[in-house]
Amino acid sequence: MRQNPSFTMTSEEAVKRLIREHPWMTIVSMTDAAGLVASHYPVLLDETAEGIVLLTHVGRPDEVVHELGRHETLVIVQGPHGYISPGWYDANPAVPTWNFVTAHLYGTPELLSADENLRVLEALVDHFEDPMPEPRRMRGTAENSAYADRIATGTVGLRIPVTRFVAKNKMSQNKPAETVDRIIAELEGDGPYASLALAAEMRRTHETLRAARA
């Protein structure tokens, strides 16, 4: 991912926030047998680990297809993004752009034992069920538990310590304050490119910039 000093995101904490808030990720491997391979899975941050460590699982035989554990893997996490019209700027000539926040995370996966895999699967279920009015836990009933144990044999748990990352947060940091405010207003409106999530990310970015300058 090509970097630009205006948009480079180097904060580990900012990347962790991105992972927490956007857990659906793309896993990419360069394999000996099949070349480039990509899959998509939910990924959690290991909150007990030092640095950035990812926890996830893949369905068999993806661990073989990806040759997991044999090579470095790229995990891509994508936050809010969207089209920015030049009509939201001013009367000067301009071109459209795309605002986004994303991180490329690199590390060699560690394949987990069957027991560790079950713990990761349970953590994933709990993470996504917690907001539900009546959460369905993996171990909520004896029947659910037995079913989960059977299904889990078709999956492989992964722990991916991230050894390096490249992250980019492009939120119109190179535009004047009045233009930024206009873009946010359009994103919060009812037009074809409205995006409340992207507007919120832009607000967060520019509030942080203003606080740093103060």
Side-chain angles (χ1 to χ4, degrees):
M1 179 166 55
R2 183 178 61 82
Q3 283 289 19
N4 178 312
S6 298
F7 311 132
T8 300
M9 187 164 72
T10 59
S11 166
E12 183 177 289
E13 285 306 312
V15 172
K16 284 183 174 181
R17 179 184 66 80
L18 184 64
I19 293 167
R20 292 185 189 106
E21 295 180 1
H22 304 279
W24 183 248
M25 303 187 198
T26 303
I27 301 173
V28 183
S29 302
M30 174 57 80
T31 67
D32 295 332
L36 279 173
V37 176
S39 296
H40 311 272
Y41 285 97
V43 178
L44 297 181
L45 185 68
D46 185 348
E47 301 287 358
T48 67
E50 292 290 327
I52 300 175
V53 178
L54 308 177
L55 296 173
T56 187
H57 75 291
V58 297
R60 297 183 189 276
D62 274 6
E63 85 283 8
V64 176
V65 174
H66 277 265
E67 300 174 358
L68 295 174
R70 292 172 50 188
H71 313 285
E72 185 178 61
T73 292
L74 165 64
V75 181
I76 302 172
V77 51
Q78 177 74 60
H81 61 92
Y83 178 79
I84 306 299
S85 169
W88 300 349
Y89 296 168
D90 51 34
N92 294 320
V95 295
T97 190
W98 204 276
N99 279 2
F100 63 91
V101 56
T102 191
H104 293 182
L105 313 167
Y106 299 86
T108 301
E110 301 169 359
L111 276 64
L112 302 180
S113 68
D115 287 344
E116 291 171 320
N117 180 38
L118 281 170
R119 286 196 289 273
V120 168
L121 291 173
E122 192 167 3
L124 282 161
V125 171
D126 285 346
H127 178 82
F128 293 107
E129 281 293 312
D130 278 345
M132 299 295 289
E134 296 182 8
R136 288 282 297 269
R137 306 297 181 187
M138 201 170 89
R139 303 296 185 193
T141 66
E143 292 81 1
N144 276 350
S145 186
Y147 179 75
D149 287 342
R150 291 197 304 274
I151 293 297
T153 60
T155 68
V156 176
L158 302 177
R159 182 178 186 271
I160 309 176
V162 174
T163 55
R164 60 192 175 95
F165 67 81
V166 179
K168 195 169 184 177
N169 181 34
K170 183 178 178 292
M171 294 289 156
S172 301
Q173 294 96 319
N174 57 342
K175 299 297 180 184
E178 59 271 18
T179 301
V180 170
D181 291 341
R182 196 177 306 120
I183 292 170
I184 291 173
E186 292 287 351
L187 291 171
E188 291 178 335
D190 57 3
Y193 297 109
S195 171
L196 293 178
L198 182 55
E201 196 69 35
M202 283 192 66
R203 284 191 184 280
R204 189 202 309 261
T205 296
H206 287 277
E207 285 170 3
T208 301
L209 285 173
R210 289 173 189 139
R213 293 174 186 141

